């Protein structure tokens, strides 16, 4: 009824909600597509029911291009192994598989390592969200650098022109005044892990 074109299931871990497949199935697929962000922990047991519910896109959050460091950050030493196993299983279904990454613009030099990982694991797309500084990064130079923004843009354009790699959706570009500008013209619905 709200005419949202993309229903996004985020916040915490949506797959902790036991009826998530029923919620996904309730979306009118003639009007909207569905995207679910997850850490991959529960995917193996949910992949078949999510496919039956006609979930369109699954985005897995990756915290570091070195998966051992990713697991260390998540405090789950076996999580990346589960993600690898699940990706093999997921390719039997018709999902768009996305690797979701938070990246500081000044760390654009790390992007090739993330792209190599995305290619290795067989993701279809990479979503880059801007990482935001916190007090733990007080030792870093946090002033925004316009040159970093444009260097990252140039690097992303290079990858998007290369069919051997997944495509990249860069949120900092999409939300900037160089692209779509104000996000107020879009309609979003966010579903919490509790179904709210």
């Amino acid at each position: 009824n709200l005419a949202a074109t993309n229903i996004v299931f985020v916040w915490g871990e949506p797959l902790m909600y036991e009826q998530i497949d029923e919620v996904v199935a309730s979306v009118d697929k003639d009007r909207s597509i569905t995207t679910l962000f997850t850490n991959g922990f529960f995917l193996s047991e949910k992949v078949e029911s999510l496919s039956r519910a006609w979930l369109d896109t699954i985005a897995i959050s990756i915290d570091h291009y070195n998966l051992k460091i990713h697991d260390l950050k998540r405090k789950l030493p076996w999580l990346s192994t589960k993600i690898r196993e699940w990706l093999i299983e997921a390719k039997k279904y018709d999902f768009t598989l996305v690797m979701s990454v938070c990246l500081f613009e000044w760390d654009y030099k790390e992007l090739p390592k993330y792209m190599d990982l995305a290619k290795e694991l067989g993701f279809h797309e990479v979503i880059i969200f801007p990482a935001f500084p916190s007090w733990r990064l007080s030792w870093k130079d946090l002033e925004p650098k316009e040159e970093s923004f444009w260097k990252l843009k140039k690097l992303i354009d290079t990858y998007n022109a290369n069919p051997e790699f997944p495509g990249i959706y860069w949120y900092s570009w999409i939300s900037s005044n160089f692209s779509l500008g104000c996000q107020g013209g879009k309609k979003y619905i966010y579903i919490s892990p509790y179904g709210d």
Side-chain angles (χ1 to χ4, degrees), residues 19-43:
Q19 288 80 35
I20 188 66
D21 48 350
E22 296 174 22
V23 177
V24 172
S26 71
V27 175
D28 184 346
K29 302 307 184 297
D30 291 330
R31 297 180 177 215
S32 307
I33 60 172
T34 48
T35 300
L36 184 141
F37 282 79
T38 177
N39 67 13
F41 187 95
F42 297 104
L43 274 172

Side-chain angles (χ1 to χ4, degrees), residues 35-159:
T35 300
L36 184 141
F37 282 79
T38 177
N39 67 13
F41 187 95
F42 297 104
L43 274 172
S44 296
E45 57 199 70
K46 296 280 190 177
V47 63
E48 190 175 344
S49 63
L50 290 171
S51 175
R52 286 197 305 268
W54 292 100
L55 178 68
D56 293 291
T57 301
I58 296 177
I60 299 179
S61 301
I62 300 294
D63 293 339
H64 200 275
Y65 54 81
N66 181 330
L67 290 179
K68 289 182 180 178
I69 297 175
H70 166 79
D71 291 349
L72 185 64
K73 288 185 170 192
R74 293 278 172 167
K75 296 182 172 54
L76 296 169
W78 39 260
L79 181 58
S80 62
T81 301
K82 282 194 77 166
I83 290 172
R84 285 180 185 274
E85 292 170 356
W86 175 81
L87 283 168
I88 293 169
E89 180 69 17
K91 288 168 189 171
K92 300 175 185 175
Y93 302 92
D94 195 25
F95 300 115
T96 298
L97 303 174
V98 177
M99 186 170 85
S100 175
V101 176
C102 286
L103 192 68
F104 289 105
E105 285 167 6
W106 57 78
D107 287 333
Y108 67 91
K109 293 177 184 175
E110 293 185 346
L111 182 60
K113 296 173 184 175
Y114 284 102
M115 294 306 294
D116 288 342
L117 177 64
K119 180 181 177 181
E120 174 199 337
L121 296 179
F123 282 102
H124 302 122
E125 295 179 356
V126 175
I127 296 177
I128 300 175
F129 290 104
F132 293 101
S134 70
W135 63 271
R136 291 182 295 173
L137 291 171
S138 59
W139 51 271
K140 275 193 124 174
D141 177 10
L142 302 180
E143 289 300 316
K145 292 183 174 59
E146 188 174 348
E147 66 179 86
S148 296
F149 180 90
W150 291 108
K151 284 179 179 177
L152 183 55
K153 168 75 167 61
K154 184 176 180 181
L155 187 55
I156 286 172
D157 288 347
T158 302
Y159 278 108

Side-chain angles (χ1 to χ4, degrees), residues 135-195:
W135 63 271
R136 291 182 295 173
L137 291 171
S138 59
W139 51 271
K140 275 193 124 174
D141 177 10
L142 302 180
E143 289 300 316
K145 292 183 174 59
E146 188 174 348
E147 66 179 86
S148 296
F149 180 90
W150 291 108
K151 284 179 179 177
L152 183 55
K153 168 75 167 61
K154 184 176 180 181
L155 187 55
I156 286 172
D157 288 347
T158 302
Y159 278 108
N160 277 334
N162 187 342
E164 294 183 9
F165 284 89
I168 307 179
Y169 173 98
W170 179 32
Y171 195 79
S172 292
W173 175 259
I174 295 297
S175 60
S176 75
N177 61 324
F178 302 107
S179 182
L180 296 179
C182 177
Q183 294 295 293
K186 293 188 168 190
K187 298 177 182 176
Y188 292 91
I189 292 179
Y190 290 94
I191 310 294
S192 80
Y194 307 102

